[in-house]
Amino acid sequence: MSALIPALDKQPAKPALCFGDTALGYPRLAASARALAGRLAGHGRVAVWATPTAETAVGVVGALLAGVPVVPLNPRSGDRELAHILADSAPSALLTGPDDELPETAAGLPRITVGTEEPADAAVPEHMEPGQDSVPALIVYTSGTTGPPKGVVLSRRALAASLDDVADAWQWSADDVLVHALPLFHVHGLVLGVLGPLRRGGTVRHLGRFTVEDVTRALGEQGGTMLFGVPTMYHRLAEAAGTDPALAQALGGARLLVSGSAALPLRDHERITSATGARVIERYGMTETLMNTSVRVDGPHRPGTVGVPLRGVDVRLVDDDGSRVEASDGETVGEIQVRGPNLFTEYLNRPGATADAFAGGWFRTGDMATRDAEGCYRIVGRRSTDLIKSGGYKIGAGEIENCLLEYPGVREAAVTGVSDPDLGERIVAWIVPADDADRPDAAALAEHVAGRLAPHKRPREVRFTTALPRNDMGKVMKRELG
Ligand code: MCA
Ligand code: AMP
């Protein structure tokens, strides 16, 4: 019996995974994942080329069955980012689909092609899923304020606890068909969006890429019951819903619309509700903590808040001098700190960073919030201006600044997140050119960052200046930019 995904053994008669025209039932998912698990014996850690495909999902499930930790890779990672993640996590093989083309940086790794065609009755080895819940399951890379991304080690226990907590808050059941178009190299799309439905014994329908038309079809004629998305996606749905009756009907008919990864502006909440009658609920999570709070299906509807702590998660607010904020007045701001079985184990290879992230057993999220009389949390900002959330992706300013500084003709660089109606924040690069009469080309700077790090980390705007505002210590005062 699979402890993480019991439906692999029970095999309910329904699709488990739908990606475009590919649909896998539970018997075929189980057979394909077990066949892969058999091939993974002896591997210490593997990476997966996390395209939005059934192969990625089967690859992750197979590795979980084998007890082999998986590192999901963004297939659009630039050479520098990919080289860093591969060197840091040192996988012994790379799981790919049959047709994936790999860049040179990844081409040296032994490749294991994942199949999804294993016949349901194939004689494949029984899985070897480990018993201990503390065994690492996933290592997900996430950006920090400075330096390259860190690998967040997530145990089997953390995945199971968090998925069961949100199921409790959302009354998520085997009857739900989850629709989404999220990337599979982050927690939102992979853990909530793929392992979530599989743990419930339900169905996931992945759209490959986000379009309003595909959301309409998937929630409408294809019978989806839940939608997960980042605020940028809900913003685009809100823009369209007022003039698109089919979309409004599809959204209005869904059992649950859930937004997360960044704040959904009140205006988008209101536009969706007025066009469709449906309400979007927000939940708050982080790669290191998985899910912490959510508006509950059976609780008060509080748009603009991220709801109440999930069952099993301790949440507190702490002020600047480290004392606990006791007020539940909707006004007093403190840093959100979290404790519970949902937390990560460590940052891979970084004991110092792991120790720094905790205060007396509580994980310091860096998110600032208030709590109201009903216990609902409202996120009001972040401790650091060096963390940017754009399109739901967390992006570290320092990493982009270092990359920009390598570009010929750049003397100084600072990166900020500027409010943007579609992306939440858009990345702006402030550049002091070495020669103001011969400025580097803005599009070439964006291309440089996209190619070295990742396309979503590229500056959407470049502003040239003759000097950056600095304090007496020489630190750039980012709040003065813009
Ligand atoms: C553009 N493109 C480029 C360049 N410019 N490619 C290379 N070089 C360039 N200079 C390509 C892009 O790759 C993309 O290709 C297309 O052009 C459009 O890119 P872009 O404008 O960046 O996309 P977008 O339209 O802005 O994307 C919006 C989005 C996306 C779909 C909402 O931001 C997204 O998927 N966000 C999800 C983030 C997420 O899952 N976060 C979870 C982490 P193409 O057109 O082929 O795609 S947070 C988390 O996990 C925690 C636990 C939580 O709480 O959830
Ligand atoms: P990541 O490190 O990519 O997992 O992003 C985690 C961060 O996303 C959190 O620390 C928050 O800043 C932000 N976040 C996630 N969900 C929400 C939400 N519903 N509202 C506001 N911010 C959110």
Side-chain angles (χ1 to χ4, degrees):
M1 181 86 170
S2 167
L4 265 181
I5 308 178
L8 291 177
D9 300 282
K10 294 188 187 136
Q11 306 197 339
K14 67 176 78 164
L17 304 171
C18 305
F19 284 81
D21 295 335
T22 308
L24 255 70
Y26 276 95
R28 235 171 77 199
L29 169 61
S32 299
R34 283 178 187 150
L36 175 65
R39 292 161 70 198
L40 292 181
H43 281 275
R45 188 182 291 154
V46 295
V48 62
W49 198 246
T51 53
T53 59
E55 281 81 3
T56 298
V58 171
V60 171
V61 173
L64 288 173
L65 291 181
V68 174
V70 198
V71 185
L73 300 175
N74 175 357
R76 287 221 170 93
S77 285
D79 52 4
R80 153 113 21 122
E81 180 162 296
L82 189 57
H84 160 70
I85 294 174
L86 292 178
D88 191 55
S89 61
S92 53
L94 176 56
L95 310 182
T96 71
D99 304 323
D100 289 336
E101 282 178 24
L102 301 179
E104 213 171 292
T105 317
L109 268 176
R111 180 167 172 168
I112 297 178
T113 305
V114 178
T116 56
E117 298 288 327
E118 207 66 43
D121 54 359
V124 290
E126 265 306 302
H127 57 80
M128 321 154 257
E129 195 171 356
Q132 308 110 301
D133 285 346
S134 57
V135 171
L138 295 174
I139 300 166
V140 181
Y141 276 79
T142 188
S143 291
T145 50
T146 56
K150 299 192 282 286
V152 174
V153 179
L154 295 163
S155 67
R156 304 167 67 81
R157 178 196 301 120
L159 300 185
S162 204
L163 290 175
D164 293 349
D165 286 350
V166 289
D168 167 65
W170 301 340
Q171 298 176 357
W172 189 353
S173 79
D175 294 333
D176 279 306
V177 175
L178 171 66
V179 172
H180 74 92
L182 294 156
L184 300 192
F185 46 86
H186 278 309
V187 161
H188 195 167
L190 181 61
V191 177
L192 289 195
V194 173
L195 300 180
L198 297 183
R199 182 160 173 84
R200 299 273 73 79
T203 301
V204 54
R205 177 174 292 282
H206 196 287
L207 304 179
R209 56 178 302 156
F210 176 83
T211 67
V212 168
E213 296 70 32
D214 285 349
V215 170
T216 305
R217 193 171 319 112
L219 289 179
E221 66 202 52
Q222 292 175 328
T225 65
M226 293 167 83
L227 178 69
F228 287 176
V230 294
T232 301
M233 295 172 180
Y234 282 104
H235 174 76
R236 294 177 187 179
L237 294 171
E239 295 267 276
T243 53
D244 180 343
L247 171 63
Q249 196 182 355
L251 290 171
R255 186 181 76 77
L256 199 61
L257 307 174
V258 186
S259 175
S261 302
L264 182 65
L266 262 183
R267 183 173 140 73
D268 288 329
H269 272 286
E270 285 162 4
R271 285 200 299 176
I272 289 177
T273 302
S274 79
T276 70
R279 300 182 306 191
V280 181
I281 68 168
E282 282 193 76
R283 59 47 176 192
Y284 160 63
M286 201 171 171
T287 306
E288 288 89 335
T289 64
L290 302 177
M291 296 302 118
N292 298 316
T293 70
S294 182
V295 172
R296 295 182 61 91
V297 167
D298 57 2
H301 183 62
R302 286 285 173 274
T305 81
V306 293
V308 295
L310 292 168
R311 178 190 73 183
V313 183
D314 288 336
V315 179
R316 68 177 188 180
L317 295 178
V318 172
D319 67 18
D320 279 347
D321 63 17
S323 5
R324 200 175 175 132
V325 172
E326 301 295 348
S328 292
D329 54 6
E331 280 180 15
T332 313
V333 176
E335 181 189 19
I336 301 181
Q337 299 191 348
V338 184
R339 202 170 59 175
N342 51 314
L343 258 54
F344 73 131
T345 312
E346 59 174 346
Y347 292 116
L348 189 68
N349 306 324
R350 282 172 181 71
T354 307
D356 288 348
F358 286 87
W362 292 81
F363 176 73
R364 299 156 44 190
T365 64
D367 292 310
M368 308 302 290
T370 62
R371 181 179 49 231
D372 67 19
E374 286 174 300
C376 290
Y377 286 77
R378 183 184 301 274
I379 296 175
V380 298
R382 271 185 305 271
R383 202 173 262 297
S384 172
T385 50
D386 285 330
L387 283 179
I388 299 164
K389 266 272 162 167
S390 187
Y393 286 111
K394 180 150 94 176
I395 300 162
E399 197 189 355
I400 304 176
E401 287 158 2
N402 290 339
C403 188
L404 288 168
L405 282 170
E406 288 169 356
Y407 197 80
V410 174
R411 174 178 294 154
E412 291 181 81
V415 165
T416 58
V418 170
S419 177
D420 183 277
D422 182 47
L423 295 170
E425 289 179 296
R426 73 176 174 280
I427 297 175
V428 174
W430 303 78
I431 302 290
V432 180
D435 176 358
D436 201 40
D438 185 18
R439 294 171 170 181
D441 178 60
L445 283 171
E447 198 54 49
H448 173 69
V449 175
R452 296 293 266 158
L453 303 180
H456 65 264
K457 297 184 177 177
R458 72 190 188 278
R460 307 274 173 146
E461 205 183 312
V462 176
R463 298 186 192 167
F464 292 98
T465 176
T466 49
L468 297 174
R470 291 182 186 272
N471 65 14
D472 294 345
M473 314 285 288
K475 188 172 160 24
V476 178
M477 295 186 291
K478 295 211 172 163
R479 292 187 207 273
E480 290 196 7
L481 285 168

